[in-house]
Amino acid sequence: MKKTLLSCFLATLLFLSGKLFSQTYQLTGNPVNTTGWDLVSSAVVNTDFIQLTQDVGNQYGAVKLSAPINLKYCDKWKVEFDFRIDGNGTAQFGRGDGFTFWYLANPPTGFVSGGGLGIPANANGLMVGFDIFNNTTEGQMSKVHLLYGTNNGLNNNIEYNTTPGSTFHSPDLNPTQPFVGATYKHVEVNGETDLTNPTNWLIKIKIDGVLIVDQSFAPSAGAIGMTTGYFGFSAATGGASARHSIKNAKIYIDKVPILTNTITPFVCTNPATGNGTVDLTSFQNQFVTNPSNYIFSYFGPGGTPITNPTNFQYSAGTTTITVVVKDPSSTLCDNGDGQIVLTPTPFAATDVTLTGCNNNNAGGAIFDLTSAAVTTVVGATKKFYNTMYDLNNGINEITNPTAFLSPAATIYVKVTTPQGCVDVADITLALFPVVVVNEATLRSCSIEATPSMASFNLTAAAVTTQTGITKKYYPSLADALNGTNEISTPTAYIAPNGVIYIKVTNGNGCYAIAKVTLVVIPPVFSIVLKDKIICMEDKTTLDAGPGFASYEWSTGATTQTITNVGVGTYWVKLKTGECVATQTVKVYPSEQPVITNIDISNNTATINVTGGTPAYQYSMDNINWQDSNIFKNIPRGDATIYVKDAYDCDPIEVDFTVPNLINVITPNGDGINDVIDYSALANKKNLVFNIFDRYGAKIHQGDKSNKYRWDGTIGGRKVPTGNYWYSVSWNENDKKNTPFKYSGWILVKNRE
């Protein structure tokens, strides 16, 4: 190395992947971004690289971080950069001298002669030089020099520093790795703590992927105990000349990520002792997201380890605690940037007002006293009392502070910090204005299909005049209080007579509950409109009666009455107020009477009738009518009976026959009156012809086998002369199969 200064660069990358956070110090971009860096002397930005020196003699240039980096707790780091040394050199000395990457406690700030590669005399730290000038032969070379100590050798040149265990000098790499040329060379420098000797660093250096250095270095001289320094690069020329350039410089320091560097919790001293205690471990989650992933160490003033961090005692004045966060997996460097600054201050609790809702005018609100922000001290305890007397004497502590029912009042809270400091605060309990509601009644027309029910628009209930409120509807008071079973269709709520409840809530979240009575308006029907019975052929008038707002008949009529109405079913919609009731009325045909049977005795006929509506009237000619059902002196042969009931409808009629009967027979074989013969009635249904003696015993039955005849014999023997009874019955061949019965007596004369 002749007279060169290495350009100073630091790129520190802290990266986050899982639990890994990355911060990058780098010189990249086009043009190169030098924010956070200092350019020294002749160093300038030249497009995408930093030019440390021009190709002239006695040039010096450096670039360094503006702020130092603390590596005390970092057990591994990595540096990458590209360098290029080119130029014409001088006729006498050629090109020189080279450049240095370093981590120095006292970096260069001005001109440094060429022989030291830009490193100041007595610089302390780690220096890695890339030397191209052999000061002994004054010829060209390519050597790597490493010093972990103080630059105090011959001519302040690390080429001549041979401190045992702290230095390294490579062979001349010019044949295989020449440093001079038009292309950039890529350098990687890896450092990590030597676990066999934690004060040493294991350093590996690669140039274009070729391992040049791999050994442990012990700090010497001014580097012993060094924890803070500046990363940078420098280069210098002397009698020789060369252009020294770097780019894409990055330094990676992978430390445990912390969320904040300094925590200043509230602490106070106990007036009785002048001291206080604090649990330092309680702040771990303010330093890192997952404290359980790391190991924490605490150091007091002067770096004294704190052995009991959960109960650290401090006194008045400021005490600064250093917090070291270590990754037990060794993936990350330790982070020693954390601090807990304890500055005791007098403790004072803050008076607070809590405002609650006097819901449903219950006489007070339910307050969560623990929510009163009387202090921001973490871990402080609170005890609540109704009076200062109770607080001072430690009696009658409020046992339900999270749900304390109270009217407007003042509550007293005793606040004790983890350090034992005590103060008292007032908690004023205030009430929001109450929500004013009124009971209401809703009336609605009944539903035609279910007259006991109606559809109510609950939103129309005038329960409050206040604005900015919301309403919810519930079927019971318990539901309204608990917020359960809310009515989902309040504009069309189907219900019978009863009540519902409206929960009215204002903008403060306070509520009152109003009761709403539901009244189903029953249908109003006509009391004069009745079913009617008329003759099938007749017409009638239907009258719904007066008093309704409107009428609408199934016939289309809109009048109170409708006329010329025949048998059938009709309806009318009757409007009363806003309600409409549909009433059905029927016009029935009158039931016609039925002739059950006709009894004929000689020339007398008795008509027996059922059904219809008595009284009946009877006629043989449909002109002349009588009330009696008996007709006498009816001539023999076919006849017709007419019957009508009280409705005087078209009569029913039945045809019948009065037989031509013989009252005396003389069965003597002369062909005159020898037999009783009813064969003329053989076409009648169910024709029955019977002869009875005077004792009522049947002695003969006429049927098809004897052609409905009797010749005055029993079993072929003549009956004694005398009177005998007979009966003839049948059903007429009409729609009703009207039964007829004809009876009388007959004289049989037999010659003995």
Side-chain angles (χ1 to χ4, degrees), residues 277-292:
T277 59
V278 64
D279 180 3
L280 300 176
T281 66
S282 66
F283 307 115
Q284 291 180 355
N285 61 355
Q286 297 183 53
F287 286 112
V288 294
T289 303
N290 297 304
S292 61

Side-chain angles (χ1 to χ4, degrees), residues 144-405:
V144 175
H145 307 299
L146 187 150
L147 170 62
Y148 188 18
T150 299
N151 183 28
N152 56 5
L154 179 65
N155 296 324
N156 298 322
N157 193 327
I158 64 173
E159 178 184 359
Y160 301 115
N161 195 313
T162 58
T163 303
S166 301
T167 58
F168 168 85
H169 303 281
S170 75
D172 188 355
L173 303 175
N174 219 35
T176 58
Q177 294 270 355
F179 295 167
V180 177
T183 60
Y184 282 90
K185 289 190 163 298
H186 182 69
V187 179
E188 294 181 17
V189 181
N190 286 275
E192 62 179 286
T193 300
D194 187 346
L195 297 180
T196 61
N197 190 344
T199 61
N200 288 15
W201 271 350
L202 291 172
I203 303 294
K204 292 183 180 181
I205 300 176
K206 292 181 180 180
I207 301 177
D208 287 339
V210 178
L211 185 64
I212 306 299
V213 181
D214 184 7
Q215 67 185 61
S216 178
F217 293 87
S220 61
I224 297 174
M226 173 184 167
T227 60
T228 302
Y230 296 81
F231 283 102
F233 300 85
S234 63
T237 63
S241 69
R243 184 173 69 158
H244 300 83
S245 306
I246 64 165
K247 69 176 182 178
N248 297 328
K250 301 176 185 178
I251 295 180
Y252 304 90
I253 301 175
D254 303 333
K255 302 174 72 174
V256 170
I258 60 174
L259 304 174
T260 184
N261 293 87
T262 302
I263 296 172
T264 57
F266 171 84
V267 290
C268 62
T269 56
N270 190 325
T273 64
N275 298 320
T277 59
V278 64
D279 180 3
L280 300 176
T281 66
S282 66
F283 307 115
Q284 291 180 355
N285 61 355
Q286 297 183 53
F287 286 112
V288 294
T289 303
N290 297 304
S292 61
N293 292 341
Y294 306 101
I295 297 173
F296 289 79
S297 300
Y298 303 87
F299 301 90
T304 304
I306 297 173
T307 58
N308 187 17
T310 60
N311 191 30
F312 177 70
Q313 181 173 302
Y314 58 88
S315 57
T318 299
T319 302
T320 300
I321 308 298
T322 299
V323 181
V324 178
V325 186
K326 181 178 180 62
D327 179 5
S329 68
S330 296
T331 301
L332 301 173
C333 301
D334 301 347
N335 193 325
D337 297 332
Q339 287 186 334
I340 302 174
V341 179
L342 305 177
T343 304
T345 58
F347 171 65
T350 304
D351 293 341
V352 174
T353 296
L354 295 179
T355 306
C357 295
N358 180 15
N359 285 327
N360 212 28
N361 203 19
I366 296 177
F367 295 93
D368 180 3
L369 303 180
T370 64
S371 68
V374 295
T375 181
T376 58
V377 177
V378 177
T381 59
K382 306 170 190 176
K383 292 186 178 182
F384 304 89
Y385 300 88
N386 285 294
T387 67
M388 278 298 297
Y389 178 85
D390 289 344
L391 184 148
N392 291 330
N393 291 278
I395 60 175
N396 301 321
E397 181 183 353
I398 294 173
T399 58
N400 61 334
T402 59
F404 182 64
L405 175 62

